[in-house]
Amino acid sequence: MPVLSRDRSGNRTRVLVIDDSASVRQTMTAILEQDPELHVIASAADPFAAAKIIQQEVPDVITLDVEMPRMDGITFLRKLMSQCPVPVVMCSSLTEEGSETLLQAMEAGAVDVILKPQIGVADHLVEHHMEICDVVKAAARARIRGRSARPVTKVVPEKKLTADAVLPPPTSRAMSRTTEKVVCIGASTGGTEALREVLTALPANAPGIVVVQHMPEAFTKAFAKRLNGLCEVDVKEAEDGDPVLRGHVLIAPGGRHMMLERQGARYHVSIKDGPLVSRHRPSVDVLFRSAARSAGSNAIGVIMTGMGDDGARGLLEMKEARARTFAQDEATSIVFGMPKEAIARGAADHIVPLGSIAREVLQAAAA
């Protein structure tokens, strides 16, 4: 039976929790209700019960389990997006098969992902309560087709580490010229589909590209594999020491930082553990700072759709190191957080729509 809350707090983001596990519904509700910006209007055990709730009140965000009785989450998501588009955060177990399913969910319109272990789910959710609330709040700010933007209150971010926690700021200018350019891209919420659009538009001889997309562990490998099947460039999850080569794209592995390093006139990546930077690991700020230190004017920086400010400081450091820098525009960003912050800091040389990023990057590399 669906549980409908009577608290109708108008200034809080209204969340509908859909999961066939009663303990998960209870834990998720408790976690989200602890955040003063979130309010769970209801919980439901399956999509049929959820549909009845949505007929009474359309939520701002839905958290949706993948495996449920009577109708699976992907089927419900597709129906929802065609009839009543609402930002959806998918929940699934951390397995290889689950990763493939979640990629299908992102293609079907899901905004982000919350991963659940196969055992100890409730304890895991409690341990990651801050991350879960951040994901849900970011989803609430997402632009969903057929749904007008909802006014939001300004969020005051908690104190967070900068890239100083992983590597020091640039102190000298990198070698002015090499034989190759290197493109550094950072994205978060909405970035999986945005990256697909950019990377599928690139030719097989595109300059070497390194990407940080905020993703959980074990998700990036499946993401890279899927992109590799769609793109002319070769795409793979990065491993420590991988060279940055023309026609190749390296995706930072979830849960680890990726840095650009240099030996002579060639580049490679370094994959390292470390603290969360800007509340993320991998962090866009870490990648961008490493590019400023190692590549300088040979680098091209691109910051794309995402919640928060990760990458804004690093893009400015790249610009100060004479790299060419780009930010995705507001109209085509699912969440105009990271690009907006970079633009506000004066870090972006150019503000471009998603459909023009590939072309702009190729022109900058050829200049």
Side-chain angles (χ1 to χ4, degrees):
M1 290 291 290
V3 179
L4 187 61
S5 170
R6 294 181 180 179
D7 182 358
R8 305 293 292 276
S9 303
N11 294 326
R12 299 164 72 186
T13 296
R14 299 164 300 137
V15 187
L16 171 60
V17 175
I18 309 175
D19 199 294
D20 65 328
S21 167
S23 63
V24 170
R25 294 197 303 273
Q26 183 178 14
T27 302
M28 284 288 290
T29 298
I31 289 171
L32 298 174
E33 283 289 345
Q34 288 178 4
D35 192 298
E37 296 180 40
L38 301 173
H39 169 54
V40 178
I41 61 167
S43 64
D46 61 53
F48 290 93
K52 294 179 180 179
I53 295 170
I54 295 172
Q55 289 176 356
Q56 300 177 50
E57 180 177 3
V58 179
D60 299 310
V61 186
I62 293 174
T63 66
L64 177 62
D65 189 22
V66 173
E67 298 179 0
M68 290 179 291
R70 298 207 285 172
M71 182 186 293
D72 67 272
I74 303 296
T75 300
F76 177 69
L77 174 64
R78 292 189 175 116
K79 290 179 179 293
L80 185 71
M81 290 297 122
S82 66
Q83 299 173 18
C84 180
V86 174
V88 172
V89 176
M90 299 299 297
C91 301
S92 178
S93 298
L94 182 58
T95 64
E96 184 174 351
E97 294 80 8
S99 297
E100 291 291 340
T101 301
L102 288 173
L103 287 173
Q104 294 176 20
M106 304 297 274
E107 292 175 354
V111 174
D112 216 325
V113 174
I114 295 172
L115 293 179
K116 304 181 298 184
Q118 293 179 301
I119 59 175
V121 176
D123 290 340
H124 174 86
L125 294 176
V126 171
E127 181 181 352
H128 294 271
H129 68 278
M130 184 179 298
E131 177 185 347
I132 290 170
C133 290
D134 285 346
V135 167
V136 171
K137 287 188 285 189
R141 292 156 174 78
R143 289 180 172 84
I144 303 298
R145 187 183 68 254
R147 183 173 180 270
S148 59
R150 178 175 178 265
V152 296
T153 56
K154 184 177 180 180
V155 178
V156 180
E158 298 181 8
K159 183 178 180 181
K160 50 194 173 183
L161 298 177
T162 69
D164 293 341
V166 177
L167 72 166
T171 56
S172 60
R173 197 174 299 282
M175 184 188 300
S176 60
R177 292 293 174 191
T178 67
T179 57
E180 296 289 347
K181 296 284 188 178
V182 58
V183 180
C184 304
I185 301 177
S188 186
T189 310
T192 54
E193 287 304 289
L195 281 168
R196 180 186 59 78
E197 182 166 340
V198 171
L199 297 182
T200 54
L202 295 174
N205 66 342
I209 298 173
V210 286
V211 176
V212 165
Q213 162 71 46
H214 294 159
M215 281 185 171
E217 295 180 49
F219 193 22
T220 43
K221 186 174 184 179
F223 177 56
K225 182 179 179 181
R226 174 158 293 204
L227 285 176
N228 189 55
L230 298 173
C231 299
E232 292 187 36
V233 290
D234 291 323
V235 185
K236 71 181 291 284
E237 183 185 58
E239 299 177 68
D240 189 48
D242 275 346
V244 180
L245 303 172
R246 179 171 285 274
H248 289 72
V249 179
L250 299 175
I251 308 286
R256 305 193 72 190
H257 291 301
M258 181 170 72
M259 290 175 280
L260 183 70
E261 296 186 350
R262 184 174 190 159
Q263 285 184 326
R266 299 295 179 182
Y267 300 103
H268 66 275
V269 295
S270 175
I271 307 299
K272 297 186 180 297
D273 295 320
L276 300 180
V277 172
S278 299
R279 303 226 304 251
H280 294 284
R281 186 178 56 239
S283 165
V284 182
D285 269 329
V286 170
L287 174 63
F288 284 179
R289 171 171 289 186
S290 70
R293 289 169 56 88
S294 298
S297 60
N298 296 291
I300 298 165
V302 182
I303 193 163
M304 296 169 59
T305 175
M307 182 71 176
D309 63 357
D310 187 29
R313 182 182 288 104
L315 193 71
L316 181 59
E317 291 175 353
M318 289 185 69
K319 181 177 179 178
E320 291 171 343
R322 298 192 300 175
R324 294 285 298 277
T325 57
F326 299 86
Q328 186 178 349
D329 69 355
E330 182 174 8
T332 62
S333 294
I334 296 295
V335 178
F336 190 56
M338 289 161 48
K340 180 180 180 181
E341 185 64 26
I343 294 166
R345 294 180 185 221
D349 292 321
H350 306 281
I351 304 168
V352 296
L354 176 61
S356 300
I357 290 177
R359 183 180 69 251
E360 293 286 347
V361 164
L362 293 173
Q363 290 178 349

